[in-house]
Amino acid sequence: MAPSTSSAVTLNINGEKHTLSVDHRTTLLDALRERLDLTGTKKGCDQGQCGACTVLIDGRRAVSCLTLAVASEDREITTIEGVADGDRLHPVQQAFLDRDGFQCGYCTPGQICSALGALEEHAAGWPSAATADVRPEAGVPELTPEEIRERMSGNLCRCGAYVSIVQAVAEAARAEEGAA
């Protein structure tokens, strides 16, 4: 008897559990879009290079086109649909609107999820390739435009809204600091 090529998985997405049977080769992106109708996460390159499919898994950024759905079981998955608090936009979403951090909008869900992860990494003191002093005693690096560009470099915007995206991330960081 041939081994089964599918499994039942329970995915915890935006605080809600979804149990479904998936082929072992099904990506998280395809499960989100095709099986759960969560179409905010976009399919761009399907090779993990553009960032359009970025979601948060256990608070960390992940490209869902390269993540298997079966490997996501028992993990906390946040998609763009789970970022806002009801009708109240998250500060990152609001900053993208205020600073015109989008044009066509296709990459925006991935950009916003990536910005959320990048801001968490920065707040935790994680250095980036742009961080001048990576010694732990140096503390949290200043969130300069160079830091933001480096931290967001895994997300492509085909419209070229990068200047506004950097401004939006910086504004969201200031808003979160003010709220803390």
Side-chain angles (χ1 to χ4, degrees):
M1 183 164 130
S4 175
T5 60
S6 64
S7 295
V9 295
T10 300
L11 301 175
N12 186 2
I13 303 166
N14 303 324
E16 188 176 319
K17 293 193 182 291
H18 302 270
T19 301
L20 52 142
S21 178
V22 295
D23 183 288
H24 294 155
R25 300 165 293 183
T26 302
T27 64
L28 178 58
L29 175 61
D30 288 339
L32 292 170
R33 291 184 58 79
E34 297 171 14
R35 301 292 304 281
L36 299 171
D37 291 325
L38 293 170
T39 57
T41 305
K42 303 300 184 217
K43 185 178 279 198
C45 67
D46 217 16
Q47 298 177 7
Q49 296 182 16
C50 74
C53 68
T54 302
V55 298
L56 299 172
I57 300 178
D58 295 334
R60 303 271 316 266
R61 298 182 276 179
V63 285
S64 61
C65 72
L66 296 182
T67 305
L68 294 175
V70 294
S72 304
E73 189 166 34
D74 298 325
R75 314 254 328 258
E76 185 69 34
I77 302 162
T78 304
T79 68
I80 191 65
E81 290 91 348
V83 172
D85 183 11
D87 290 336
R88 194 175 127 259
L89 294 179
H90 186 281
V92 172
Q93 291 173 305
Q94 189 62 55
F96 266 72
L97 282 173
D98 294 345
R99 294 292 180 174
D100 292 326
F102 57 93
Q103 286 183 28
C104 79
Y106 195 82
C107 73
T108 306
Q111 295 276 1
I112 289 172
C113 286
S114 187
L116 291 167
L119 290 173
E120 284 295 318
E121 293 163 10
H122 175 261
W126 294 8
S128 77
T131 304
D133 190 347
V134 298
R135 294 174 302 137
E137 59 269 16
V140 177
E142 182 182 352
L143 193 59
T144 63
E146 293 77 24
E147 277 286 336
I148 294 170
R149 280 193 287 276
E150 174 60 31
R151 292 172 187 273
M152 295 293 293
S153 65
N155 292 78
L156 302 178
C157 173
R158 287 162 182 87
C159 299
Y162 295 114
V163 171
S164 298
I165 290 168
V166 169
Q167 292 172 351
V169 174
E171 182 175 307
R174 287 190 299 274
E176 288 183 356
E177 286 174 4

